[in-house]
Amino acid sequence: MTVKPSLSPELPTDLDKNRLPQHVAVIMDGNGRWAKSRGLPRIMGHQRGVDALKDLLRCCGEWGIPALTAYAFSTENWGRPLEEVEFLMTLFERVLQRELEEMMQENVKIRFIGNLAALPESLRREIAKSQAETSKNSGIQFTVAANYGGREEIVQACQAIARQVQQGLVSPEAIDESLFAQYLYTAGIPNPDLLIRSSGEMRISNFLLWQMAYAEIYVTDTLWPDFDRVQFHRALKDYQGRHRRFGKL
């Protein structure tokens, strides 16, 4: 896979390695607009978007950021043209097949979150294989949100807890934020410190609604296929210029 030229694998000297986000989440927006602006079919934008994500994943590993979560396909994306949806499902499957060996070599641990039961069976097999084979890797935690919706995630967590209460396994008084988080798709994954959204859209689009409570948000006008290490450097520089108070003084 061809990846765009980027900065050195070394952390830029103007970034403080002790103040890097421990978990970066990305909303990869603008693939279709990138392709349209070049007179290309939308699917070409999605293919280039995969290259950008792969380079960002490697960059996080090289620069010392231990977790990356990517919003790959939302529960609302089923409303796109059938041809585009089918292409995306096939693209996800092919990328997993092609990249698994390299993820193993680079010690990447991959995990998928969302309503995976609704995905095509062949894709679910590749997801299960990639999760199983990388489960013991100790490098970057790479989380892919596929058929994911934040509201749906919260509803399913409520339903699961309600069943536990109904069976007498959990008392209502025991329900707190810590317990609730255990029933989310992201159980065991730290909340994001930084959310990056490309293409200039100023919304979070039903992504990690619970987990984003105190994430810093960075929006760039850059379309996702053009998001490279130069853009990531700018996002991290902006992040390090903020004072995170978490609701306190």
Side-chain angles (χ1 to χ4, degrees):
M1 179 185 294
T2 302
V3 177
K4 296 171 289 185
S6 57
L7 291 174
S8 163
E10 301 297 325
L11 182 70
T13 56
D14 62 344
L15 292 177
D16 182 349
K17 66 179 181 179
N18 297 314
R19 298 180 58 233
L20 292 171
Q22 296 300 290
H23 183 178
V24 173
V26 290
I27 298 177
M28 306 177 292
D29 199 14
N31 290 340
R33 276 167 283 172
W34 181 91
K36 183 178 179 180
S37 69
R38 289 162 173 76
L40 301 171
R42 288 175 60 85
I43 60 176
M44 293 299 296
H46 294 306
Q47 289 177 327
R48 285 295 296 269
V50 169
D51 291 349
L53 178 59
K54 180 180 176 181
D55 190 42
L56 178 61
L57 176 63
R58 178 173 289 124
C59 181
C60 285
E62 292 171 349
W63 289 4
I65 296 170
L68 174 68
T69 295
Y71 202 7
F73 192 86
S74 76
T75 50
E76 291 76 29
N77 286 157
W78 295 108
R80 293 186 176 187
L82 179 61
E83 179 183 3
E84 182 175 351
V85 171
E86 290 180 342
F87 173 80
L88 285 170
M89 295 298 127
T90 302
L91 178 64
F92 296 156
E93 187 174 335
R94 289 176 178 172
V95 167
L96 286 174
Q97 292 170 341
R98 186 175 63 234
E99 303 296 336
L100 179 57
E101 182 178 350
E102 192 167 336
M103 285 193 290
M104 290 298 296
Q105 292 173 353
E106 298 190 10
N107 202 25
V108 174
K109 181 176 183 178
I110 191 169
R111 175 173 168 182
F112 283 77
I113 59 172
N115 181 6
L116 305 182
L119 299 176
E121 182 179 355
S122 58
L123 175 55
R124 295 200 309 271
R125 285 198 298 268
E126 291 301 327
I127 288 173
K129 179 181 178 182
S130 65
Q131 290 185 144
E133 294 199 15
T134 66
S135 63
K136 291 183 172 55
N137 288 352
S138 57
I140 185 170
Q141 170 71 63
F142 180 37
T143 305
V144 180
N147 194 29
Y148 174 89
R151 288 181 174 180
E152 181 178 79
E153 177 183 31
I154 291 171
V155 168
Q156 70 84 28
C158 291
Q159 291 173 338
I161 294 172
R163 286 191 291 269
Q164 296 286 294
V165 172
Q166 190 176 48
Q167 296 170 19
L169 300 175
V170 173
S171 68
E173 295 74 22
I175 302 172
D176 57 15
E177 291 185 14
S178 177
L179 184 140
F180 189 84
Q182 295 173 29
Y183 288 83
L184 296 173
Y185 296 138
T186 55
I189 302 174
N191 292 333
D193 301 300
L194 172 63
L195 168 66
I196 298 172
R197 177 159 192 157
S198 58
S199 86
E201 301 293 346
M202 304 290 284
R203 55 181 178 270
I204 60 174
S205 298
N206 199 21
F207 184 43
L208 300 177
L209 298 181
W210 174 276
Q211 299 87 342
M212 290 293 179
Y214 282 104
E216 297 296 321
I217 299 176
Y218 177 85
V219 177
T220 174
D221 289 333
T222 301
L223 302 178
W224 181 252
D226 290 328
F227 189 91
D228 57 16
R229 296 189 185 202
V230 174
Q231 300 293 329
F232 190 41
H233 179 194
R234 291 173 183 166
L236 295 177
K237 188 69 176 174
D238 182 87
Y239 171 84
Q240 292 196 345
R242 301 186 189 186
H243 177 53
R244 305 186 74 197
R245 297 185 297 274
F246 300 94
K248 304 172 184 178
L249 296 179

